[in-house]
């Protein structure tokens, strides 16, 4: 089978906090027949302990310089933990037109630190900051404990010793800089939504950056992403599961370019009605705009990428699969300031209300054990029913926040907005057999300057359609029993 047109000839690999280029060596050996690997030491780690510049932008500059010196025609980026955040920053630069990064074809994010501040318990952070400057015996003990705490099962003795040695040779200033600053940098708005095909790898036993964290914080920034979960693995996946990581990367690099979605098909009879002179030209233009294919890498303007992902997830529980992106259309409406002309007096303006409502919903989900985006449909439905019925407990600490009573109003407003967007699409109108769009045409003048017909309906009897009215299109998408209720 020939290689896809976007197949890279180089895989640039970035390591985790305390790691080094050799962290990727077990995976690189297994990929030798697939792609050439270039593991790099980030500033302050491995052989680059003398290099400075420890924030995300500076580390990205360091990696970009290495890529520029090689000049690959096509390359992929693989980032592990800390390295994933750097890879995301580089991907944004590549998609923004940086000529040195123009060949980026794929992303691989392994137990990745997200664009937003990394979730880490403050007590753990403080402990790690204290022991990095301790006496040699304490540092050696704590470095070994750090490695053991981040795996799902013990590493081979030689791998554990090498990983511990990497931690111990890291520059303390670089270690502190990541924990105090780099991990907390918020790149969510700058990264926005990337269209580069991405693979997310997560270990099921990774407490902070496992499947739930990836679903809630990283996946919303990727338009074309696939997630693989390695059961029983922890955080140090390239050392714990090099065979599985290499196999997943091989599959990912073998995939062709991601295809953008096609517009939802409008049945021919309904398309003919839209094109006819019975439809007002302004309405025809509006329907054509609504029928355009959505951009999978749509960058939200009123919400942030995580909030947009939450909105899409909520809409998916409210409505059947429409085939078009209602969440993005609602965000565009919010950003435009256009609306239906009213709102509940107890709610803030629409855009503020949406942000607060979505964040409050997610906070309530997290208080019950898992982010909203990491839950299955049944669990999401339970939270939405609680919001609808005035039973959703939103933590007092959540900011922005809608309380229980205002969540009832917000969710009612959201449902109305979603249904309105759903019904506005010509494909939905065709499914419903709505022919009212044919009542507003301008008509065409005859030789005497009079319209050949008047817009509207002549037949008003039951089951007596006009000859020009198309049959309702067959609705071929399944609606779950829960959604139907």
């Amino acid at each position: 089978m020939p290689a896809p047109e976007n197949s890279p000839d180089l895989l640039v690999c970035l390591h985790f906090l305390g790691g080094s280029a050799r962290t990727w060596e077990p995976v690189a050996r297994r990929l030798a027949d697939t792609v050439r690997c270039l593991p790099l030491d980030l500033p302050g780690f491995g052989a680059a302990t003398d290099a400075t510049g420890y924030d995300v932008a500076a580390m990205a500059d360091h990696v970009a310089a290495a890529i520029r010196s090689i000049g690959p025609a096509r390359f992929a980026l693989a980032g592990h933990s800390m390295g994933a955040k750097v890879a995301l920053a580089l991907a944004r630069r590549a998609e923004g037109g940086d000529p040195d990064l123009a060949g980026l074809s794929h992303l691989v994010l392994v137990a990745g630190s997200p664009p937003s501040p990394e979730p880490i318990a403050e007590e753990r952070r403080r402990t790690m900051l204290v022991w990095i400057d301790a006496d040699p015996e304490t540092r050696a003990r704590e470095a070994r404990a750090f490695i053991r705490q981040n795996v799902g099962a013990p590493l081979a003795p030689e791998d554990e010793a090498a990983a511990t040695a990497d931690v111990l040779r890291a520059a303390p200033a670089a270690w502190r800089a990541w924990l105090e600053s780099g991990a907390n940098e918020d790149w969510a708005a700058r990264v926005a939504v990337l269209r580069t095909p991405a693979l997310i790898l997560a270990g099921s036993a990774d407490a902070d950056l496992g499947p739930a964290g990836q679903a809630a914080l990283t996946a919303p920034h990727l338009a074309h992403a696939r997630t693989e979960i390695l059961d029983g693995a922890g955080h140090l996946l390239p050392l714990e599961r090099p065979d599985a990581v290499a196999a997943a990367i091989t599959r990912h690099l073998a995939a062709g370019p991601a295809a953008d979605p096609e517009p939802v098909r409008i049945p021919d009879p309904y398309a003919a009605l839209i094109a006819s002179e019975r439809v007002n030209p302004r309405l025809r233009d509006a329907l054509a705009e609504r029928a355009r294919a959505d951009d999978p890498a749509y960058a939200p303007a009123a919400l942030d990428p995580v909030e947009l992902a939450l909105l899409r997830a909520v809409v998916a529980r409210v409505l059947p699969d429409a085939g078009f992106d209602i969440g993005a259309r609602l965000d565009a409406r919010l950003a435009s300031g256009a609306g239906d002309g009213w709102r509940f007096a107890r709610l803030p303006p629409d855009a503020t209300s949406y942000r607060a409502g979505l964040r409050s919903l997610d906070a309530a989900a997290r208080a019950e054990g898992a982010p909203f985006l990491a839950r299955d449909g049944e669990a999401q439905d339970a939270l939405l029913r609680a919001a609808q019925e005035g039973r959703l407990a939103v933590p007092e600490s959540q900011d922005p926040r809608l309380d229980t009573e205002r969540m009832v109003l917000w969710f009612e407003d959201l449902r109305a907005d979603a249904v309105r967007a759903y019904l506005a699409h010509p494909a939905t109108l065709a499914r419903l057999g709505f022919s009212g769009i044919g009542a507003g045409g301008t008509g065409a003048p005859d030789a005497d300057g009079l319209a050949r017909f008047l817009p509207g309906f002549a037949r008003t009897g039951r089951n007596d359609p006009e000859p020009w009215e198309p049959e309702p299109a067959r609705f071929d998408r399944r609606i779950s029993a829960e959604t139907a209720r």
Side-chain angles (χ1 to χ4, degrees):
M1 178 181 295
E5 63 184 54
N6 64 332
S7 180
D9 50 34
L10 181 69
L11 177 66
V12 179
C13 305
L14 311 177
H15 58 79
F16 71 103
L17 173 67
S20 73
R22 67 180 178 183
T23 301
W24 280 96
E25 287 178 0
V27 174
R29 288 196 299 271
R30 289 160 172 82
L31 288 174
D33 294 331
T34 301
V35 64
R36 181 166 70 96
C37 293
L38 176 65
L40 294 177
D41 289 312
L42 293 171
F45 301 93
T49 52
D50 292 335
T52 57
Y54 306 138
D55 60 23
V56 173
M59 288 192 282
D61 287 342
H62 177 86
V63 175
I67 294 170
R68 182 172 58 249
S69 68
I70 297 172
R74 288 277 185 181
F75 70 96
L77 279 172
H80 178 200
S81 190
M82 175 179 74
K85 192 162 190 168
V86 178
L88 288 165
L90 287 162
R92 171 44 61 205
R93 283 171 51 171
E95 293 191 16
D98 187 326
D100 294 331
L101 302 172
L104 178 64
S105 63
H106 297 76
L107 273 173
V108 179
L109 306 171
V110 181
S113 179
S116 55
E118 183 178 315
I120 180 173
E122 282 305 314
E123 184 176 349
R124 268 187 65 207
R125 190 194 308 270
R126 286 194 296 270
T127 299
M128 292 166 66
L129 285 167
V130 168
W131 66 253
I132 196 65
D133 287 316
D135 61 89
E137 183 179 349
T138 300
R139 290 184 75 236
R141 183 180 66 251
E142 294 295 337
R144 186 176 301 106
F146 172 74
I147 296 300
R148 291 177 177 178
Q149 290 162 3
N150 279 283
V151 295
L155 297 176
E158 61 274 19
D159 291 335
E160 181 183 281
T164 302
D166 275 343
V167 174
L168 291 173
R169 68 173 172 162
W175 179 273
R176 287 193 301 271
W178 179 257
L179 291 170
E180 293 175 342
S181 179
N184 288 326
E185 288 186 36
D186 192 348
W187 281 71
R190 283 175 283 184
V191 170
V193 180
L194 300 166
R195 63 178 70 249
T196 304
L199 169 66
I200 297 173
L201 292 177
S204 67
D206 187 345
D208 293 326
L209 295 172
Q214 299 305 319
L217 299 174
T218 300
H221 292 272
L222 304 165
H224 303 290
R226 182 170 54 84
T227 299
E228 292 193 26
I229 298 169
L230 304 187
D231 189 42
H235 187 64
L236 304 186
L237 301 182
L239 296 174
E240 296 179 72
R241 303 286 180 84
D243 287 323
V245 171
I249 292 174
T250 298
R251 290 190 295 271
H252 180 53
L253 299 186
D260 287 344
E262 295 291 328
V264 180
R265 183 179 175 275
I266 312 300
D268 292 341
Y270 206 80
L273 171 59
I274 293 173
S276 76
E277 56 192 14
R278 300 195 66 92
V279 177
N280 183 280
R282 289 178 61 188
L283 175 57
R284 186 182 302 118
D285 290 345
L287 293 172
E289 181 63 30
R290 295 170 194 169
R292 292 181 186 275
D294 295 299
D295 180 0
Y298 169 80
L303 308 175
D304 67 27
V306 171
E307 290 161 352
L308 177 58
L310 287 165
L311 178 56
R312 286 169 170 156
V314 172
V315 169
R317 306 312 305 166
V318 169
L319 288 168
D321 179 10
F324 54 94
D325 191 347
I326 292 175
R329 292 165 190 238
L330 292 180
D331 174 81
R333 181 186 69 77
L334 292 170
S336 73
D340 52 17
W342 76 282
R343 63 181 172 87
F344 289 108
R346 291 203 58 208
L347 292 180
D350 286 350
T352 303
S353 179
Y354 264 76
R355 286 192 295 268
L358 292 164
R359 289 294 183 178
S360 295
L361 177 65
D362 189 46
R366 290 173 182 273
E368 293 187 10
F372 188 83
L373 292 172
R375 293 171 175 264
D376 62 22
E378 184 177 346
Q380 290 179 344
D381 286 346
L383 286 160
L384 292 173
R385 281 194 296 271
Q388 181 178 2
E389 297 167 4
R391 298 183 288 103
L392 190 72
V394 181
E396 294 281 349
S397 59
Q398 172 60 30
D399 183 29
R401 175 179 182 268
L402 295 183
D403 59 25
T404 299
E405 292 182 5
R406 290 194 296 170
M407 284 296 290
V408 175
L409 303 178
W410 170 76
F411 189 42
E412 180 178 334
D413 221 6
L414 182 150
R415 297 198 307 275
D417 290 343
V419 170
R420 187 178 295 108
Y422 175 64
L423 293 175
H425 196 286
T428 308
L429 299 177
R431 290 173 189 147
L432 297 175
F434 178 74
S435 52
I437 63 169
T442 58
D446 58 19
D448 297 323
L450 300 175
R452 288 200 298 268
F453 63 84
L454 292 175
F457 294 81
R459 297 181 179 181
T460 58
R462 191 173 188 179
N463 296 324
D464 185 21
E466 301 279 352
W468 53 265
E469 291 186 80
E471 293 271 341
R474 182 181 296 275
F475 189 84
D476 57 0
R477 296 180 184 274
R478 293 192 175 186
I479 307 175
S480 70
E482 184 62 41
T483 301
R485 286 198 292 271

